[in-house]
Amino acid sequence: MVELADLDLPEHPKLAQNIAHFARALRRAGLPIGPGRVIDAVRAVQVAGFTDRMDFYWTLHACFVSKREEQATFGQIFRLYWRDPRYLEQMMSFMQPMVRGVAEERTAQAAEKRAAEALLDGEERDAPQPEDEAKDDEILLDIDASQTISTQERLRSLDFEQMSLAEMAAAKRILAQMSLPVKPLQSRRTQALPGRIPDWRGTQRMAMRRGGEITDFATKRRRLRYPNLVVLCDISGSMSQYSRAVLHFVHGVANAQGQGWAQVHAFTFGTRLTNITRHLRTRDVDAALSAAGAEAQDWEGGTRIAACLHDFNRDWSRRVMGQGAVVLLITDGLDRDPTADLGREMQRLSLTARQLIWLNPLLRWDGFAPKAKGIAAMLPHVSSFRSGHNIASLAGLAQALARPDDTGEKQRLMAALADNATDAPQNPFAFTRAANTIG
């Protein structure tokens, strides 16, 4: 919820025109707003009045916002359009490149760049040039930054949460073209091809054709098979922006040819588990994710990781985890259910998986530590613990698959857990609780 200041009403207000312009900015930011909603908003404000700031905010909110993921964009555009008198200067600072160190940097909040683009659509983004020519004693500094960094390289390191609409669209195109190849596994079954394993039955059959005389030895080799990829993606409120980008990546992997995966199974979880595998088989990514979002009714809701993992282990593990499946778990590990045994469910999941890779967007922070109870319970049971907040981190999955000994940040954080257990107070009951929490 944004903080609202008092409204300064002009002498001759044009409220209907301002609401129409405000709706136009929301439509540019991605909200599905048509003329009917604008008319309803004008009539609703006429009935509710324009004297109370909270009533005005929630009246427009009820008319223009229909989904949870639209709340952040609406709040930012509302603050910039109706409240902040210096919103144009603030938005121009987001859209213009600046020399580091000249001004104090401030990272744009969620949906703030999208709000700036929506309100500055068609405006001049370049800084105004002075009319007077430079004086003789002034030194003009011309910096050519065209070759400093490419657009794709900048997008690779940019956080999904801080991307604008155009940047997110470009990032989704990059994610759709990325690949996640996997090496084949050797099966216990064999096939009659030249190899290093003696084929005694084949040798005897060849001898029988020659009257029992053994003239040559037959050999065989093991069959090659590819594992399944199982994706468990957290779609709770704190993970919504990251989960959408990851699902674009998973859709590209599921529909790409020649990457080696036998089958790609995808599940979303927040407060309940939802199987979206059949939706990701649709070639069109927008149609696939729209159908997946319609079936998963807990988008941007709460988080019950242990309960959802329990449902997966009970109902789906035997169906999709056979033959050495690789599990990709995308979550921040902040479980909201204190009564569930998250460590036990993670242990069962890790025992049925050939490799369990955990992507956590919180790992992007330098001071990240496994202090949360859910993270401490999950960490010992994963094969690799990696960040998943940008394109570069998703591209690093290939390294984790190619090198099973690559544990990412797991060893460092496990050492931090051990230090925290050592520094715990000398209370036997407290130590027991900490040991049970760690698993």
Side-chain angles (χ1 to χ4, degrees):
M1 178 60 191
V2 296
E3 296 182 0
L4 307 177
D6 295 332
L7 292 173
D8 296 331
L9 298 179
E11 297 180 359
H12 303 285
K14 298 182 178 180
L15 185 57
Q17 291 89 337
N18 288 332
I19 293 178
H21 285 292
F22 175 62
R24 187 180 305 170
L26 293 176
R27 185 165 54 249
R28 294 195 193 102
L31 275 68
I33 297 175
R37 288 198 178 187
V38 178
I39 296 175
D40 293 341
V42 174
R43 292 176 178 176
V45 172
Q46 184 179 4
V47 174
F50 194 67
T51 57
D52 187 81
R53 60 180 183 269
M54 297 299 298
D55 291 344
F56 180 66
Y57 175 86
W58 288 112
T59 300
L60 295 182
H61 186 280
C63 296
F64 291 142
V65 177
S66 58
K67 298 180 180 179
R68 288 179 177 268
E69 56 267 22
E70 299 171 354
Q71 294 181 357
T73 304
F74 176 85
Q76 293 292 351
I77 296 180
F78 186 91
R79 178 179 65 85
L80 298 177
Y81 189 89
W82 296 100
R83 298 307 189 202
D84 197 344
R86 301 185 63 186
Y87 74 95
L88 184 60
E89 178 184 352
Q90 197 174 40
M91 288 186 295
M92 292 289 286
S93 65
F94 291 146
M95 307 304 296
Q96 294 177 4
M98 62 177 58
V99 179
R100 295 183 180 271
V102 177
E104 182 181 359
E105 291 189 22
R106 184 178 71 86
T107 304
Q109 298 178 1
E112 202 163 16
K113 291 186 68 176
R114 293 190 290 273
E117 286 187 346
L119 290 175
L120 286 176
D121 185 62
E123 297 291 337
E124 183 65 32
R125 295 183 182 181
D126 296 332
Q129 301 294 333
E131 298 181 358
D132 299 336
E133 297 182 356
K135 298 180 181 180
D136 297 337
D137 55 347
E138 291 181 350
I139 300 177
L140 297 180
L141 181 60
D142 187 10
I143 300 178
D144 184 10
S146 60
Q147 301 296 328
T148 55
I149 186 170
S150 64
T151 304
Q152 287 195 359
E153 289 298 328
R154 187 177 64 86
L155 284 176
R156 287 176 59 87
S157 59
L158 188 61
D159 196 322
F160 290 132
E161 187 69 30
Q162 305 301 334
M163 286 185 178
S164 62
L165 288 175
E167 292 169 343
M168 180 57 71
K172 289 177 180 178
R173 290 192 293 267
I174 297 175
L175 291 173
Q177 299 174 358
M178 291 173 56
S179 62
L180 189 63
V182 62
K183 294 181 179 180
L185 305 177
Q186 286 189 350
S187 175
R188 289 180 295 179
R189 295 188 176 184
T190 58
Q191 54 185 348
L193 291 175
R196 303 179 61 181
I197 303 177
D199 187 1
W200 302 115
R201 291 186 179 180
T203 302
Q204 292 177 2
R205 285 193 296 266
M206 292 172 58
M208 292 296 293
R209 298 189 188 103
R210 295 174 175 84
E213 183 179 357
I214 299 178
T215 59
D216 195 5
F217 285 97
T219 58
K220 57 185 178 179
R221 64 183 181 184
R222 296 189 182 276
R223 294 179 181 269
L224 296 180
R225 60 175 180 83
Y226 290 92
N228 292 340
L229 176 63
V230 180
V231 180
L232 300 173
C233 186
D234 188 349
I235 57 173
S236 61
S238 59
M239 288 288 299
S240 60
Q241 195 68 18
Y242 301 101
S243 58
R244 293 178 188 276
V246 171
L247 289 179
H248 268 80
F249 171 67
V250 174
H251 177 271
V253 174
N255 291 272
Q257 300 294 332
Q259 298 197 47
W261 298 104
Q263 290 183 354
V264 178
H265 302 275
F267 298 83
T268 61
F269 66 91
T271 56
R272 65 180 185 178
L273 184 71
T274 305
N275 186 0
I276 61 170
T277 301
R278 62 187 181 92
H279 299 304
L280 292 185
R281 293 172 183 169
T282 305
R283 298 295 299 179
D284 184 74
V285 61
D286 295 327
L289 295 187
S290 177
E295 183 167 350
Q297 299 295 327
D298 52 345
W299 280 92
E300 295 199 9
T303 310
R304 299 174 64 239
I305 303 177
C308 294
L309 291 182
H310 174 74
D311 295 340
F312 176 81
N313 291 330
R314 181 192 60 193
D315 301 331
W316 294 99
S317 179
R318 294 185 179 180
R319 305 183 189 182
V320 302
M321 296 289 288
Q323 301 179 352
V326 176
V327 178
L328 188 61
L329 180 62
I330 302 99
T331 180
D332 53 9
L334 303 180
D335 196 2
R336 302 295 190 272
D337 190 359
T339 60
D341 192 352
L342 181 56
R344 180 178 180 180
E345 300 300 334
M346 281 293 298
Q347 182 182 16
R348 182 177 176 182
L349 179 63
S350 64
L351 291 177
T352 55
R354 175 174 172 266
Q355 195 174 2
L356 177 55
I357 303 175
W358 181 11
L359 297 183
N360 192 336
L362 297 179
L363 197 57
R364 69 187 185 273
W365 305 112
D366 295 336
F368 175 80
K371 297 181 180 179
K373 181 179 179 181
I375 298 177
M378 297 171 63
L379 187 61
H381 305 290
V382 300
S383 305
S384 179
F385 185 51
R386 311 178 68 89
S387 177
H389 65 288
N390 54 17
I391 298 177
S393 60
L394 294 181
L397 285 176
Q399 179 181 356
L401 293 174
R403 298 177 54 188
D405 57 338
D406 183 10
T407 60
E409 298 293 328
K410 177 184 176 181
Q411 299 300 330
R412 179 179 64 85
L413 296 179
M414 288 296 295
L417 278 177
D419 294 340
N420 293 336
T422 303
D423 297 339
Q426 299 299 324
N427 186 341
F429 299 97
F431 179 80
T432 303
R433 289 195 297 268
N436 293 333
T437 301
I438 295 175

